[in-house]
Amino acid sequence: MRRRPPKPARASRHRSDPKAELVQLRRELEEARARLREVEERGTDAFLARRLAELEEGRQVARGQAVEATVAKSRAEAELRALRDAIGKAPGVWGWLLRRAKRKLETP
C-alpha cells in the first residue's frame, strides 16, 4: 500500500520579517503622533498649508512626467512615420519585400 508524501507546511501569508514589520509600524505610529502634535501646537492652518504645499509639489511632478510622456510619444510617432516613408521609398527587390511584409503585418 502506497502512502502519499506528507504535505509541506503551509507558508504564512506574511512572508516579511515580523520584527521589520513591527519597526515599520512603530515608525508610522510616531509619524502620526508627530503630525497630531503639530496640529495641536500650531493649529490646523500650518498643517494644512504644509500639506497643500506637498500636494502642489506632487502635482507639478506629475505634470512634468505627463509632458515628458507626451514628448516621447511625439518622437516615437515621428520615427514611425519616417520608417514607413523609408519603407515606401526603398528601391529594388528589397524595397518590394519590405513593402510586402508591411502589408502582411497591417492586414488582419
Side-chain angles (χ1 to χ4, degrees), residues 12-71:
S12 66
R13 289 185 180 182
H14 301 288
R15 294 181 185 243
S16 64
D17 182 25
K19 291 180 182 179
E21 188 175 352
L22 184 61
V23 169
Q24 179 185 352
L25 290 173
R26 284 183 177 158
R27 187 182 69 242
E28 290 174 4
L29 178 62
E30 187 56 38
E31 289 173 2
R33 286 179 177 163
R35 285 185 190 146
L36 185 58
R37 276 193 302 270
E38 181 184 351
V39 168
E40 289 172 348
E41 291 171 2
R42 298 183 189 171
T44 57
D45 292 341
F47 177 77
L48 289 176
R50 185 175 58 82
R51 184 68 180 133
L52 286 174
E54 290 172 358
L55 291 173
E56 178 65 21
E57 181 182 345
R59 187 186 68 81
Q60 288 176 351
V61 168
R63 188 175 183 190
Q65 290 173 344
V67 168
E68 289 174 4
T70 302
V71 169

